[in-house]
Every structure is written in C-alpha cells, then in structure tokens.
Coordinates of all heavy atoms in Angstrom, one line a residue:
M1 N 0.9 -1.2 0.0 CA -0.1 0.0 0.0 C 0.9 1.2 0.0 O 1.8 1.4 0.8 CB -0.9 0.0 1.2 CG -1.8 1.2 1.3 SD -3.0 1.1 2.7 CE -3.9 -0.2 2.4
M2 N 0.7 2.2 -0.8 CA 1.3 3.4 -1.0 C 1.0 4.5 0.0 O -0.2 4.4 0.4 CB 1.3 3.9 -2.5 CG 2.0 3.0 -3.3 SD 1.8 3.5 -5.1 CE 2.4 5.2 -5.0
L3 N 1.8 5.3 0.4 CA 1.6 6.4 1.2 C 0.6 7.4 0.7 O -0.2 7.9 1.5 CB 2.9 7.2 1.6 CG 2.8 8.1 2.8 CD1 2.5 7.3 4.1 CD2 4.3 8.7 2.9
S4 N 0.5 7.5 -0.7 CA -0.3 8.4 -1.3 C -1.9 8.0 -1.1 O -2.7 8.8 -1.3 CB -0.2 8.6 -2.8 OG -0.2 7.3 -3.4
A5 N -2.0 6.7 -0.7 CA -3.5 6.2 -0.5 C -4.0 7.0 0.8 O -5.3 7.1 0.8 CB -3.6 4.8 -0.2
F6 N -3.3 7.5 1.6 CA -3.8 8.3 2.7 C -3.8 9.8 2.5 O -3.9 10.5 3.5 CB -2.9 8.1 4.0 CG -2.9 6.6 4.4 CD1 -1.8 5.9 4.1 CD2 -4.0 6.0 5.1 CE1 -1.7 4.5 4.5 CE2 -3.9 4.6 5.4 CZ -2.8 3.8 5.1
W7 N -3.7 10.2 1.3 CA -3.7 11.6 1.0 C -4.9 12.4 1.6 O -4.5 13.6 2.1 CB -3.6 11.8 -0.6 CG -3.8 13.2 -1.0 CD1 -4.9 13.6 -1.7 CD2 -3.1 14.3 -0.6 NE1 -4.9 15.0 -1.8 CE2 -3.8 15.5 -1.2 CE3 -1.9 14.5 0.0 CZ2 -3.3 16.8 -1.1 CZ3 -1.5 15.9 0.2 CH2 -2.1 17.0 -0.4
P8 N -6.0 12.1 1.4 CA -7.1 12.9 2.1 C -6.9 13.2 3.6 O -7.2 14.3 4.0 CB -8.4 12.2 1.9 CG -8.1 11.3 0.7 CD -6.7 11.0 0.7
F9 N -6.5 12.1 4.3 CA -6.3 12.3 5.8 C -5.1 13.2 6.0 O -5.1 14.1 6.8 CB -6.0 11.0 6.4 CG -5.7 11.1 7.9 CD1 -6.8 11.5 8.7 CD2 -4.5 10.8 8.4 CE1 -6.4 11.7 10.1 CE2 -4.2 11.0 9.8 CZ -5.4 11.4 10.6
Y10 N -4.0 13.2 5.2 CA -2.9 14.1 5.3 C -3.2 15.5 4.9 O -2.8 16.5 5.6 CB -1.7 13.7 4.5 CG -0.9 12.6 5.1 CD1 -0.7 11.3 4.5 CD2 -0.5 12.7 6.4 CE1 0.0 10.3 5.1 CE2 0.3 11.6 7.0 CZ 0.5 10.4 6.4 OH 1.1 9.4 6.9
Q11 N -4.1 15.6 3.9 CA -4.6 17.0 3.5 C -5.4 17.6 4.7 O -5.4 18.8 5.1 CB -5.5 16.9 2.3 CG -5.9 18.2 1.8 CD -6.7 18.0 0.4 OE1 -7.4 17.0 0.3 NE2 -6.7 19.0 -0.4
F12 N -6.2 16.8 5.4 CA -6.9 17.2 6.5 C -6.0 17.7 7.6 O -6.2 18.8 8.3 CB -7.9 16.2 7.0 CG -8.6 16.6 8.2 CD1 -9.6 17.4 8.4 CD2 -8.2 15.8 9.5 CE1 -10.2 17.7 9.7 CE2 -8.8 16.2 10.7 CZ -9.9 17.1 10.7
L13 N -5.0 16.8 8.0 CA -4.1 17.3 9.0 C -3.4 18.6 8.6 O -3.2 19.4 9.5 CB -3.1 16.1 9.3 CG -3.6 14.9 9.9 CD1 -2.5 13.9 10.1 CD2 -4.3 15.2 11.3
W14 N -2.9 18.8 7.4 CA -2.1 20.0 7.1 C -3.2 21.1 7.1 O -2.6 22.2 7.4 CB -1.4 19.8 5.7 CG -0.3 19.1 5.7 CD1 0.0 17.7 5.3 CD2 1.0 19.5 6.3 NE1 1.4 17.4 5.5 CE2 2.0 18.4 6.2 CE3 1.4 20.6 7.0 CZ2 3.3 18.6 6.6 CZ3 2.7 20.8 7.5 CH2 3.6 19.7 7.3
T15 N -4.4 20.8 6.8 CA -5.3 22.0 6.9 C -5.4 22.5 8.3 O -5.5 23.6 8.6 CB -6.7 21.6 6.2 OG1 -6.4 21.2 4.9 CG2 -7.6 22.8 6.3
I16 N -5.7 21.5 9.2 CA -5.7 21.8 10.6 C -4.6 22.6 11.1 O -4.7 23.5 11.7 CB -6.0 20.5 11.5 CG1 -7.4 20.0 11.0 CG2 -6.0 20.9 13.0 CD1 -8.5 20.9 11.3
Y17 N -3.3 22.0 10.7 CA -2.0 22.6 11.1 C -2.0 24.1 10.6 O -1.5 25.0 11.3 CB -0.9 21.8 10.5 CG 0.5 22.4 10.9 CD1 1.0 22.3 12.2 CD2 1.1 23.0 9.9 CE1 2.3 22.8 12.4 CE2 2.4 23.5 10.1 CZ 2.9 23.4 11.4 OH 4.2 24.0 11.6
F18 N -2.3 24.3 9.3 CA -2.3 25.7 8.7 C -3.2 26.6 9.6 O -2.7 27.8 9.9 CB -2.6 25.6 7.3 CG -2.9 26.9 6.6 CD1 -1.7 27.6 6.3 CD2 -4.1 27.4 6.5 CE1 -1.9 28.9 5.6 CE2 -4.3 28.7 6.0 CZ -3.1 29.5 5.5
F19 N -4.4 26.2 9.9 CA -5.3 27.1 10.5 C -4.8 27.4 12.0 O -4.9 28.6 12.5 CB -6.7 26.6 10.6 CG -7.5 26.9 9.3 CD1 -7.9 25.8 8.6 CD2 -7.7 28.0 8.9 CE1 -8.6 26.1 7.4 CE2 -8.3 28.3 7.7 CZ -8.9 27.3 7.0
V20 N -4.3 26.4 12.5 CA -3.8 26.6 14.0 C -2.5 27.6 14.0 O -2.5 28.5 14.8 CB -3.4 25.3 14.6 CG1 -2.5 25.5 15.9 CG2 -4.6 24.5 14.9
M21 N -1.6 27.3 13.0 CA -0.5 28.3 12.9 C -0.9 29.6 12.4 O -0.3 30.6 12.9 CB 0.5 27.7 11.9 CG 1.3 26.5 12.4 SD 2.3 26.7 13.9 CE 1.3 25.8 15.1
F22 N -1.9 29.7 11.6 CA -2.5 31.0 11.2 C -3.0 31.9 12.4 O -2.6 33.0 12.6 CB -3.6 30.8 10.2 CG -4.1 32.0 9.6 CD1 -3.4 32.6 8.5 CD2 -5.3 32.5 9.9 CE1 -3.9 33.7 7.9 CE2 -5.8 33.7 9.3 CZ -5.1 34.3 8.3
L23 N -3.7 31.1 13.4 CA -4.2 31.8 14.5 C -3.1 32.1 15.5 O -3.1 33.2 16.1 CB -5.2 30.8 15.2 CG -6.5 30.7 14.4 CD1 -7.4 29.6 15.2 CD2 -7.3 31.9 14.2
V24 N -2.2 31.3 15.6 CA -0.9 31.6 16.5 C -0.1 32.8 15.9 O 0.2 33.7 16.8 CB 0.0 30.3 16.6 CG1 1.2 30.6 17.2 CG2 -0.8 29.3 17.4
G25 N -0.1 32.8 14.6 CA 0.6 34.0 14.1 C 0.0 35.2 14.3 O 0.6 36.3 14.7
F26 N -1.3 35.4 14.0 CA -2.1 36.5 14.4 C -2.1 36.8 15.8 O -2.0 38.0 16.2 CB -3.5 36.4 13.8 CG -3.6 36.8 12.4 CD1 -3.6 36.0 11.3 CD2 -3.7 38.3 12.1 CE1 -3.7 36.5 10.0 CE2 -3.7 38.7 10.8 CZ -3.9 37.8 9.8
W27 N -2.2 35.9 16.7 CA -2.0 36.2 18.1 C -0.8 36.8 18.4 O -0.8 37.8 19.3 CB -2.2 34.9 18.9 CG -2.2 35.0 20.3 CD1 -3.4 35.4 21.1 CD2 -1.2 35.0 21.3 NE1 -3.0 35.5 22.4 CE2 -1.7 35.3 22.4 CE3 0.2 34.7 21.2 CZ2 -0.9 35.2 23.7 CZ3 0.9 34.7 22.2 CH2 0.5 34.9 23.5
C28 N 0.3 36.3 17.9 CA 1.6 36.9 18.1 C 1.7 38.4 17.7 O 2.2 39.2 18.3 CB 2.8 36.1 17.5 SG 3.0 34.6 18.4
I29 N 1.1 38.5 16.5 CA 1.2 40.0 15.9 C 0.4 40.8 16.8 O 0.8 42.0 17.0 CB 0.7 40.0 14.4 CG1 1.7 39.2 13.5 CG2 0.3 41.3 14.0 CD1 1.1 39.0 12.1
F30 N -0.9 40.4 17.2 CA -1.7 41.2 18.0 C -1.1 41.5 19.3 O -1.3 42.7 19.8 CB -3.0 40.7 18.2 CG -3.9 40.7 17.0 CD1 -4.7 39.8 16.5 CD2 -3.9 42.0 16.0 CE1 -5.5 39.7 15.4 CE2 -4.7 42.1 15.0 CZ -5.5 41.0 14.6
M31 N -0.4 40.5 20.0 CA 0.1 40.8 21.3 C 1.4 41.7 21.1 O 1.6 42.5 22.0 CB 0.7 39.4 21.9 CG -0.5 38.5 22.4 SD -1.5 39.4 23.7 CE -0.3 39.1 25.0
F32 N 2.1 41.6 20.0 CA 3.3 42.5 19.8 C 2.8 43.9 19.7 O 3.5 44.9 20.4 CB 4.2 42.0 18.7 CG 5.5 42.7 18.6 CD1 6.5 42.4 19.5 CD2 5.6 43.6 17.6 CE1 7.7 43.0 19.3 CE2 6.9 44.3 17.5 CZ 7.9 44.0 18.3
F33 N 1.9 44.2 18.8 CA 1.4 45.5 18.5 C 0.5 46.0 19.6 O 0.3 47.3 19.8 CB 0.9 45.7 17.1 CG 1.9 45.6 16.1 CD1 2.1 44.3 15.4 CD2 2.7 46.6 15.7 CE1 3.2 44.4 14.3 CE2 3.6 46.6 14.9 CZ 3.9 45.4 14.1
G34 N -0.1 45.1 20.4 CA -1.2 45.6 21.3 C -0.7 45.5 22.6 O -1.4 46.2 23.6
L35 N 0.3 44.8 23.1 CA 0.9 44.8 24.4 C 2.3 45.1 24.6 O 2.7 46.0 25.3 CB 0.6 43.5 24.9 CG 1.1 43.1 26.3 CD1 0.1 43.8 27.3 CD2 1.2 41.7 26.7
V36 N 3.2 44.5 23.6 CA 4.7 44.8 23.9 C 5.1 46.2 23.5 O 5.7 46.9 24.3 CB 5.4 43.7 23.1 CG1 6.9 44.0 23.2 CG2 5.1 42.4 23.6
I37 N 4.5 46.6 22.3 CA 5.0 48.0 22.0 C 4.4 49.1 22.9 O 5.1 50.0 23.3 CB 4.7 48.2 20.5 CG1 5.6 47.4 19.6 CG2 4.8 49.7 20.1 CD1 5.3 47.5 18.1
P38 N 3.1 48.9 23.3 CA 2.6 50.0 24.2 C 3.5 49.9 25.6 O 3.5 50.9 26.2 CB 1.2 49.6 24.5 CG 0.8 49.0 23.1 CD 2.0 48.2 22.7
M39 N 3.9 48.8 26.0 CA 4.5 48.7 27.3 C 6.0 49.4 27.0 O 6.5 50.1 28.0 CB 4.9 47.2 27.7 CG 3.6 46.6 28.4 SD 4.0 45.1 29.3 CE 4.7 44.1 28.2
W40 N 6.6 49.2 25.9 CA 7.8 49.8 25.7 C 7.7 51.3 25.6 O 8.4 52.1 26.1 CB 8.4 49.5 24.2 CG 9.1 48.0 24.2 CD1 9.4 47.2 25.2 CD2 9.3 47.3 23.0 NE1 9.9 46.1 24.9 CE2 9.8 46.1 23.5 CE3 9.1 47.5 21.7 CZ2 10.3 45.1 22.6 CZ3 9.6 46.5 20.9 CH2 10.1 45.3 21.3
L41 N 6.6 51.8 25.1 CA 6.3 53.2 24.9 C 5.8 53.9 26.2 O 5.8 55.1 26.3 CB 5.2 53.5 23.9 CG 5.8 53.2 22.5 CD1 4.7 53.4 21.5 CD2 7.1 54.0 22.1
T42 N 5.5 53.1 27.3 CA 5.0 53.8 28.5 C 5.9 53.3 29.7 O 6.9 54.1 30.0 CB 3.6 53.2 28.9 OG1 3.5 51.8 28.8 CG2 2.6 53.7 27.9
E43 N 5.9 52.1 30.2 CA 6.7 51.7 31.3 C 8.2 51.7 30.9 O 9.1 52.0 31.7 CB 6.3 50.3 31.9 CG 5.0 50.5 32.6 CD 3.9 50.0 31.8 OE1 4.0 50.0 30.6 OE2 2.8 49.7 32.3
G44 N 8.5 51.2 29.8 CA 9.8 51.0 29.3 C 10.6 52.4 29.2 O 11.7 52.6 29.6
L45 N 10.0 53.4 28.5 CA 10.5 54.7 28.4 C 10.6 55.4 29.7 O 11.5 56.2 30.0 CB 9.9 55.5 27.3 CG 10.0 55.1 25.9 CD1 9.2 56.0 25.0 CD2 11.6 55.2 25.5
M46 N 9.7 55.2 30.5 CA 9.7 55.8 31.9 C 10.8 55.3 32.8 O 11.6 56.0 33.3 CB 8.3 55.5 32.7 CG 7.2 56.4 32.3 SD 5.6 55.9 32.9 CE 5.9 56.0 34.7
E47 N 11.1 54.0 32.7 CA 12.2 53.4 33.4 C 13.5 54.0 32.8 O 14.5 54.2 33.5 CB 12.2 51.9 33.4 CG 13.3 51.1 34.0 CD 13.2 49.6 33.9 OE1 12.2 49.2 33.3 OE2 14.2 49.0 34.3
Y48 N 13.6 54.0 31.5 CA 14.8 54.5 30.8 C 15.1 55.9 31.1 O 16.4 56.2 31.4 CB 14.6 54.4 29.3 CG 15.8 54.7 28.5 CD1 16.9 53.9 28.3 CD2 15.9 55.9 27.9 CE1 18.0 54.2 27.7 CE2 17.0 56.4 27.1 CZ 18.0 55.5 27.1 OH 19.2 55.9 26.3
F49 N 14.1 56.8 31.3 CA 14.4 58.2 31.6 C 14.5 58.3 33.2 O 14.6 59.5 33.6 CB 13.5 59.0 31.0 CG 13.7 59.2 29.4 CD1 12.9 58.6 28.5 CD2 14.9 59.8 29.0 CE1 13.1 58.7 27.2 CE2 15.2 59.8 27.6 CZ 14.3 59.3 26.7
G50 N 14.4 57.4 33.9 CA 14.4 57.4 35.4 C 13.1 58.1 36.0 O 13.3 58.7 37.1
K51 N 12.0 58.0 35.4 CA 10.8 58.6 35.9 C 10.1 57.8 36.9 O 9.2 58.2 37.6 CB 9.8 59.1 34.7 CG 10.5 60.0 33.9 CD 10.7 61.4 34.4 CE 11.3 62.4 33.5 NZ 11.8 63.5 34.1
G52 N 10.2 56.3 36.8 CA 9.5 55.5 37.8 C 10.3 55.1 38.9 O 11.4 55.7 39.2
K53 N 9.8 54.2 39.7 CA 10.5 53.7 40.8 C 11.7 52.8 40.4 O 11.5 52.0 39.6 CB 9.5 52.8 41.8 CG 10.1 52.5 43.1 CD 9.1 51.8 44.0 CE 8.6 50.4 43.5 NZ 9.6 49.5 43.8
S54 N 12.9 53.0 41.0 CA 14.0 52.3 40.7 C 13.8 50.8 41.1 O 13.2 50.4 42.1 CB 15.3 52.8 41.3 OG 15.1 52.7 42.7
F55 N 14.3 49.9 40.1 CA 14.2 48.4 40.3 C 15.1 48.0 41.3 O 16.4 48.3 41.2 CB 14.3 47.8 38.9 CG 14.2 46.4 39.1 CD1 13.1 45.7 39.3 CD2 15.4 45.6 38.9 CE1 13.1 44.3 39.3 CE2 15.4 44.2 39.0 CZ 14.2 43.6 39.1
D56 N 14.6 47.2 42.3 CA 15.5 46.6 43.3 C 15.3 45.1 43.2 O 14.3 44.6 43.5 CB 15.0 47.1 44.7 CG 15.9 46.5 45.7 OD1 17.0 46.1 45.4 OD2 15.6 46.5 46.9
P57 N 16.3 44.3 42.7 CA 16.1 42.9 42.5 C 16.0 42.2 43.8 O 15.5 41.1 43.9 CB 17.5 42.5 41.8 CG 18.5 43.5 42.0 CD 17.6 44.9 42.1
E58 N 16.5 42.7 44.9 CA 16.4 42.1 46.2 C 15.0 42.1 46.7 O 14.5 41.3 47.5 CB 17.3 42.8 47.3 CG 18.8 42.6 47.1 CD 19.2 41.2 47.2 OE1 18.6 40.5 48.0 OE2 20.3 40.8 46.6
E59 N 14.2 43.0 46.2 CA 12.8 43.1 46.5 C 12.0 41.9 46.2 O 11.0 41.5 46.8 CB 12.2 44.4 46.0 CG 10.8 44.7 46.4 CD 10.2 46.0 45.8 OE1 11.0 46.9 45.7 OE2 9.0 46.0 45.5
I60 N 12.3 41.4 45.0 CA 11.5 40.3 44.4 C 12.4 38.9 44.6 O 11.8 37.9 44.0 CB 11.0 40.5 42.9 CG1 12.4 40.6 42.1 CG2 10.3 41.7 42.9 CD1 12.0 40.7 40.7
R61 N 13.5 38.9 45.1 CA 14.4 37.6 45.1 C 13.7 36.6 45.9 O 13.6 35.4 45.5 CB 15.7 38.0 45.7 CG 16.7 36.7 45.7 CD 18.0 37.3 46.0 NE 18.4 38.3 45.0 CZ 19.5 38.3 44.3 NH1 20.3 37.2 44.4 NH2 19.9 39.2 43.5
R62 N 13.3 36.9 47.1 CA 12.5 35.9 48.0 C 11.5 36.5 48.8 O 11.8 37.5 49.5 CB 13.5 35.1 48.9 CG 12.9 34.0 49.6 CD 14.0 33.4 50.5 NE 14.9 32.7 49.9 CZ 14.9 31.5 49.4 NH1 13.8 30.9 49.5 NH2 16.0 31.0 48.6
K63 N 10.2 36.1 48.6 CA 9.1 36.6 49.3 C 9.0 35.7 50.5 O 8.8 34.6 50.4 CB 7.9 36.7 48.5 CG 8.0 37.6 47.3 CD 7.9 39.1 47.9 CE 7.7 39.9 46.6 NZ 7.8 41.4 47.0
N64 N 8.9 36.3 51.8 CA 8.9 35.5 52.9 C 7.3 35.4 53.1 O 6.4 36.1 52.9 CB 9.3 36.3 54.1 CG 10.8 36.2 54.2 OD1 11.4 35.3 53.8 ND2 11.4 37.3 54.8
V65 N 6.8 33.9 53.5 CA 5.5 33.6 53.8 C 5.4 33.7 55.3 O 6.0 32.7 55.9 CB 5.2 32.3 53.1 CG1 3.8 31.9 53.4 CG2 5.5 32.2 51.7
F66 N 4.7 34.7 55.8 CA 4.5 34.8 57.2 C 3.4 33.9 57.6 O 2.3 33.9 56.8 CB 4.4 36.2 57.7 CG 5.6 37.0 57.2 CD1 5.5 37.8 56.2 CD2 6.7 36.8 58.1 CE1 6.6 38.6 55.9 CE2 7.8 37.7 57.8 CZ 7.8 38.5 56.6
E67 N 3.5 33.1 58.8 CA 2.3 32.4 59.2 C 1.2 33.3 59.7 O 1.4 34.3 60.4 CB 2.7 31.5 60.4 CG 3.7 30.4 59.9 CD 3.9 29.4 61.0 OE1 3.1 29.2 61.8 OE2 5.0 28.7 60.9
Q68 N 0.0 32.9 59.3 CA -1.2 33.8 59.7 C -2.1 32.9 60.5 O -2.0 31.6 60.6 CB -2.0 34.3 58.5 CG -1.1 35.0 57.5 CD -1.7 35.4 56.2 OE1 -2.9 35.2 56.1 NE2 -1.0 35.9 55.3
E69 N -3.1 33.5 61.1 CA -4.1 32.8 61.8 C -4.8 31.7 61.0 O -5.4 32.1 59.9 CB -5.1 33.8 62.5 CG -6.1 33.1 63.4 CD -5.4 32.7 64.7 OE1 -4.3 33.2 65.1 OE2 -5.7 31.6 65.3
G70 N -4.7 30.5 61.3 CA -5.5 29.4 60.6 C -4.7 28.9 59.2 O -5.2 28.2 58.5
V71 N -3.4 29.4 59.1 CA -2.6 29.0 58.0 C -1.4 28.4 58.5 O -0.7 28.9 59.4 CB -2.3 30.4 57.1 CG1 -1.4 29.9 56.0 CG2 -3.5 31.1 56.6
E72 N -1.1 27.2 57.9 CA 0.1 26.4 58.2 C 1.1 26.4 57.0 O 0.7 26.0 56.0 CB -0.3 25.0 58.7 CG 0.9 24.2 59.1 CD 0.7 22.8 59.4 OE1 -0.6 22.4 59.3 OE2 1.4 22.0 59.7
V73 N 2.2 26.9 57.3 CA 3.2 26.9 56.1 C 4.1 25.6 56.2 O 4.7 25.4 57.3 CB 4.2 28.1 56.3 CG1 5.2 28.1 55.2 CG2 3.3 29.5 56.2
I74 N 4.0 24.7 55.3 CA 4.6 23.4 55.3 C 5.8 23.4 54.3 O 6.5 22.4 54.3 CB 3.6 22.3 55.1 CG1 3.0 22.5 53.7 CG2 2.6 22.2 56.1 CD1 2.2 21.3 53.3
Y75 N 5.9 24.4 53.5 CA 7.0 24.3 52.5 C 7.6 25.7 52.3 O 7.2 26.5 51.5 CB 6.5 23.8 51.1 CG 7.5 23.6 50.0 CD1 8.2 22.4 50.1 CD2 7.6 24.4 48.9 CE1 9.2 22.2 49.2 CE2 8.5 24.2 47.9 CZ 9.3 23.0 48.1 OH 10.3 22.7 47.1
N76 N 8.5 26.1 53.1 CA 9.0 27.4 53.2 C 10.6 27.3 53.3 O 11.1 26.7 54.3 CB 8.6 28.1 54.4 CG 9.0 29.6 54.4 OD1 9.5 30.0 53.4 ND2 8.7 30.3 55.5
Q77 N 11.4 27.6 52.3 CA 12.6 27.6 52.2 C 13.3 26.2 52.6 O 13.9 26.1 53.5 CB 13.4 28.7 53.0 CG 12.9 30.1 52.7 CD 13.6 31.1 53.6 OE1 14.4 30.8 54.4 NE2 13.2 32.5 53.3
P78 N 13.0 25.2 51.8 CA 13.5 23.8 52.1 C 14.9 23.7 52.1 O 15.5 24.3 51.3 CB 12.8 23.0 51.0 CG 12.6 23.8 49.8 CD 12.3 25.2 50.5
K79 N 15.5 23.0 53.0 CA 16.9 22.7 53.0 C 17.3 21.2 52.5 O 18.5 20.9 52.4 CB 17.4 22.8 54.4 CG 17.1 24.2 55.1 CD 18.0 25.2 54.3 CE 17.9 26.7 55.1 NZ 16.6 27.3 54.8
G80 N 16.3 20.5 52.2 CA 16.6 19.1 51.8 C 16.7 19.0 50.2 O 17.0 19.9 49.6
H81 N 16.6 17.8 49.7 CA 16.7 17.6 48.3 C 15.4 17.3 47.6 O 15.3 16.8 46.4 CB 17.6 16.2 48.1 CG 19.0 16.4 48.6 ND1 19.9 17.2 48.2 CD2 19.5 15.9 49.8 CE1 20.9 17.1 48.8 NE2 20.7 16.3 49.9
G82 N 14.2 17.6 48.2 CA 13.0 17.4 47.5 C 11.9 18.0 48.3 O 12.1 18.6 49.4
P83 N 10.7 18.0 47.7 CA 9.5 18.6 48.4 C 9.0 17.7 49.5 O 7.9 17.2 49.4 CB 8.7 18.9 47.3 CG 8.9 17.8 46.3 CD 10.4 17.6 46.4
F84 N 9.8 17.4 50.5 CA 9.3 16.6 51.7 C 8.8 17.5 52.7 O 9.3 18.7 53.0 CB 10.3 15.8 52.3 CG 11.0 14.9 51.3 CD1 12.3 15.3 50.8 CD2 10.5 13.8 50.8 CE1 13.0 14.4 49.7 CE2 11.1 13.0 49.8 CZ 12.4 13.3 49.3
L85 N 7.7 17.1 53.4 CA 7.1 17.9 54.5 C 8.1 17.8 55.8 O 8.2 18.9 56.4 CB 5.7 17.2 54.9 CG 4.7 17.2 53.9 CD1 3.4 16.7 54.4 CD2 4.4 18.7 53.4
H86 N 8.7 16.7 56.0 CA 9.7 16.7 57.2 C 10.9 15.9 56.6 O 10.8 14.7 56.3 CB 9.1 16.0 58.3 CG 10.1 16.0 59.6 ND1 10.5 17.0 60.1 CD2 10.7 14.9 60.0 CE1 11.3 16.7 61.1 NE2 11.4 15.4 61.1
H87 N 11.9 16.7 56.4 CA 13.1 16.0 55.6 C 14.1 15.4 56.6 O 14.8 16.1 57.2 CB 13.7 16.9 54.7 CG 14.8 16.3 53.7 ND1 14.5 15.5 52.7 CD2 16.1 16.1 53.9 CE1 15.5 14.9 52.2 NE2 16.6 15.5 53.0
D88 N 14.1 14.1 56.8 CA 15.2 13.5 57.6 C 15.9 12.7 56.4 O 15.5 12.6 55.4 CB 14.6 12.5 58.6 CG 14.0 13.2 59.7 OD1 14.6 14.4 60.0 OD2 13.1 12.8 60.3
D89 N 17.1 12.1 56.9 CA 17.9 11.2 56.0 C 17.3 10.0 55.9 O 17.4 9.2 56.8 CB 19.3 11.2 56.4 CG 20.2 10.7 55.4 OD1 19.8 10.5 54.1 OD2 21.3 10.2 55.7
H90 N 16.5 9.8 54.7 CA 15.9 8.4 54.5 C 16.7 7.4 53.9 O 16.2 6.5 53.3 CB 14.5 8.6 53.9 CG 13.6 9.5 54.7 ND1 13.1 9.4 55.8 CD2 13.1 10.8 54.3 CE1 12.3 10.3 56.3 NE2 12.3 11.1 55.2
G91 N 18.0 7.7 53.7 CA 18.9 6.7 52.9 C 19.0 7.1 51.5 O 19.9 6.5 50.8
H92 N 18.3 8.2 51.1 CA 18.6 8.6 49.6 C 19.3 9.9 49.7 O 19.0 10.8 50.7 CB 17.2 8.9 48.9 CG 16.2 9.6 49.6 ND1 15.2 9.0 50.4 CD2 15.9 11.0 49.6 CE1 14.5 10.0 51.0 NE2 14.9 11.2 50.5
H93 N 20.3 10.0 49.0 CA 21.2 11.2 49.0 C 21.1 11.9 47.8 O 21.1 11.5 46.7 CB 22.6 10.8 49.2 CG 22.7 9.9 50.4 ND1 22.7 10.5 51.7 CD2 22.9 8.6 50.8 CE1 22.9 9.6 52.6 NE2 22.9 8.5 52.0

C-alpha cells in the first residue's frame, strides 16, 4: 500500500495545522502591537528616563511567607533535596 493512499487524511491534518499556525501567528502579531510596543512606549521609556521607581532585585528575590491565623506553612525555604514535609535522611542522598 502506498503512502499516497492516505492523501485525504494528510490533507486534513495539514489544513488543521495551517489554521492553527495562522491563528498563532495573528495572536503573536496582535500581542506584539497591542501589548509589547505599548509597554515599551510607557513603562519602558519611563524606566529608561528614570521617571519611575528604581528597580530593586532584592525586593523580588525571595518573598517571605509569614504564618497567619489558621494558615500552616509546610513548604518554606526547604533545606533538603526534595519537596518533603519533614526531611530526615531516609537513605537517599
């Protein structure tokens, strides 16, 4: 049996692929011209000319989760090798 016997199915797959890529391409174009360029022209230029609040990387490096009433923090700055609730040495290193 030759591969060309499945041509209608491949034509259907390529049509679906074309429409999906068409929509993705237009989404990228709209996001670039509707979101990215306006951000460059507002927040970006404000930061460039020093009009906004200066960026402090330490401010976002690590957010502390403080315990609140009725809230239990079980995964805060782990020192082990995985997401264990209570990390003892269980023989895996």
Side-chain angles (χ1 to χ4, degrees):
M1 182 179 294
M2 292 176 52
L3 195 59
S4 60
F6 297 106
W7 163 248
F9 181 66
Y10 282 123
Q11 188 178 28
F12 171 74
L13 288 181
W14 278 111
T15 304
I16 296 298
Y17 177 78
F18 172 79
F19 280 118
V20 169
M21 291 297 111
F22 189 78
L23 293 175
V24 168
F26 268 101
W27 183 84
C28 290
I29 290 170
F30 288 137
M31 288 298 285
F32 189 73
F33 286 100
L35 181 72
V36 175
I37 290 179
M39 281 197 303
W40 285 344
L41 294 177
T42 54
E43 289 95 347
L45 288 177
M46 283 174 52
E47 180 183 353
Y48 182 77
F49 289 110
K51 300 294 182 186
K53 187 171 71 79
S54 61
F55 175 72
D56 182 18
E58 293 294 329
E59 184 182 325
I60 62 168
R61 185 170 301 235
R62 183 181 299 275
K63 296 285 186 184
N64 289 327
V65 180
F66 298 104
E67 294 193 24
Q68 302 173 12
E69 186 69 30
V71 176
E72 181 184 0
V73 179
I74 59 173
Y75 187 74
N76 188 12
Q77 300 180 6
K79 300 294 187 283
H81 299 288
F84 303 103
L85 297 180
H86 181 68
H87 186 78
D88 289 327
D89 189 16
H90 302 297
H92 50 268
H93 300 287

